[in-house]
Amino acid sequence: NRLDAVDLRVMALKHPDERVRTWAIRLFTDRWPLDTTLSRRPDTSFSVAEDDYQVLGSAASDSSPQVRLAVASAMQRMDPYRRIEVAVALTN
């Protein structure tokens, strides 16, 4: 169930251990396709849900440098137009 998967991600991102939060981001975004050098999504049938972006955006304000690095690394898998939101959250 999609709702259950979102709940599990949110719970993992609130885990007290930063290593669990870091791996949650990596596992959560691993299925997202990488952009090519021209910022074209290679798999046009795949789309990232809005709540997925919101979960990743909330992780960008995490106090752990490891978690923030995982978020920054995941930005290459995001829609180019959505990256700015996460980048701004990472700089705050």
Side-chain angles (χ1 to χ4, degrees):
N1 186 346
R2 175 123 179 93
L3 182 60
D4 293 335
V6 171
D7 290 342
L8 288 174
R9 283 193 296 265
V10 171
M11 288 180 358
L13 290 172
K14 292 183 178 185
H15 195 277
D17 190 332
E18 68 184 4
R19 293 169 293 191
V20 172
R21 297 191 311 268
T22 299
W23 274 106
I25 291 167
R26 291 178 183 168
L27 293 173
F28 162 56
T29 60
D30 190 47
R31 64 184 172 85
W32 297 5
L34 285 168
D35 279 347
T36 65
T37 56
L38 300 176
S39 294
R40 294 190 187 129
R41 309 236 4 115
D43 181 3
T44 57
S45 66
F46 183 87
S47 64
V48 179
E50 180 64 30
D51 56 350
D52 290 342
Y53 284 125
Q54 291 173 352
V55 169
L56 189 61
S58 67
S61 61
D62 195 289
S63 62
S64 165
Q66 287 181 329
V67 173
R68 294 167 66 86
L69 178 61
V71 171
S73 296
M75 287 176 60
Q76 65 185 324
R77 296 180 178 272
M78 294 179 68
D79 180 341
Y81 299 106
R82 301 300 303 265
R83 292 176 187 167
I84 191 70
E85 299 169 25
V86 175
V88 168
L90 284 170
T91 61
N92 291 330

